[in-house]
Amino acid sequence: MGIVARERTLYEDVYDSVAKYASESPGRVNFPTFLEMARISERERYRLSALDAGCGGGYGALEFKKAGFGKIVMCDITNFGLADEAADIPFYQTPLWDSLHVTTRSTLGGRFDYVYCCDVLEHIPKEFTMLTVSRLLEVARLGVFLSIAHRIDVHGLWVGKHLHQTVEQFTWWRDNLSALAEMIECRDLLSSGLFLLNPRS
């Protein structure tokens, strides 16, 4: 079994085994902070597009929809955990280290004003983490927002494998991300970090 099929099966097993896994959403929790860090006013949101990358249950995308963003798209390695409320938001099934521009080209030419990626990068195999960030930067016009956990997960116990494959401290993420793009702002929350990158740098 290849790595993509293995990862997809793993998360489908988790969604099937842990009832609350999909509903625990850093994408929902971090949305107000994203708006603050990106300095997005209410009156300009209708003109902006966003990709919720590694969307999980789709709750981050639903926050964009409720906030009045003009176009929202989701992608993840599986749609197994998507909430019913997110069914009308376009979804693409893909691993995030593949070319997202090609995957989403039928929507806005595969480019988005903002890419929003919460509680995802720590789940990526370590050798693919910075490749994944590069893929996110490729499809963003104005910013890439990342929320990254710094601790080992607990939900993997249900399937016999840790889900957080890249557990590193804030400074490791900050330094590696800064090597790929200009850091607009970053915040160390101890158990996690928030980062806003400029894709045009």
Side-chain angles (χ1 to χ4, degrees):
M1 182 184 293
I3 186 170
V4 173
R6 187 169 66 246
E7 291 293 300
R8 181 175 295 128
T9 299
L10 171 65
Y11 284 95
E12 290 177 353
D13 287 348
V14 173
Y15 286 125
D16 195 44
S17 302
V18 187
K20 66 177 183 175
Y21 182 70
S23 64
E24 290 185 351
S25 176
R28 179 167 44 205
V29 171
N30 288 307
F31 186 74
T33 306
F34 158 72
L35 292 176
E36 176 195 336
M37 289 173 69
R39 296 176 174 84
I40 300 172
S41 68
E42 188 171 350
R43 66 182 180 182
E44 68 180 314
R45 295 174 193 171
Y46 76 96
R47 297 188 286 105
L48 298 174
S49 60
L51 173 67
D52 185 358
C55 61
Y59 295 103
L62 287 168
E63 291 299 311
F64 278 91
K65 183 177 178 179
K66 285 190 289 186
F69 277 71
K71 185 70 178 182
I72 308 104
V73 175
M74 305 179 294
C75 67
D76 208 331
I77 200 164
T78 179
N79 64 355
F80 204 78
L82 276 179
D84 292 340
E85 308 95 279
D88 62 338
I89 301 174
F91 173 88
Y92 295 88
Q93 183 168 291
T94 183
L96 298 187
W97 55 84
D98 276 358
S99 174
L100 301 178
H101 181 78
V102 172
T103 303
T104 62
R105 64 186 171 200
S106 64
T107 307
L108 301 172
R111 298 288 303 281
F112 306 87
D113 293 309
Y114 287 95
V115 173
Y116 188 72
C117 186
C118 291
D119 193 29
V120 175
L121 285 176
E122 67 272 23
H123 291 260
I124 302 289
K126 191 169 186 177
E127 61 270 25
F128 293 150
T129 52
M130 292 304 130
L131 172 59
T132 298
V133 175
S134 296
R135 297 301 196 191
L136 302 179
L137 289 164
E138 286 172 358
V139 297
R141 293 190 184 96
L142 301 178
V144 173
F145 178 84
L146 306 169
S147 165
I148 306 171
H150 301 156
R151 294 180 178 174
I152 293 173
D153 65 281
V154 296
H155 293 307
L157 295 173
W158 291 92
V159 292
K161 179 182 178 180
H162 288 301
L163 302 181
H164 291 181
Q165 300 184 58
T166 304
V167 179
E168 297 290 349
Q169 294 306 304
F170 174 82
T171 52
W172 186 92
W173 287 107
R174 181 200 62 199
D175 294 348
N176 279 278
L177 294 171
S178 296
L180 294 179
E182 175 192 1
M183 185 73 67
I184 297 172
E185 186 177 348
C186 58
R187 300 181 185 182
D188 185 357
L189 306 182
L190 299 182
S191 63
S192 65
L194 304 180
F195 307 87
L196 183 63
L197 305 178
N198 179 2
R200 297 170 293 182
S201 59

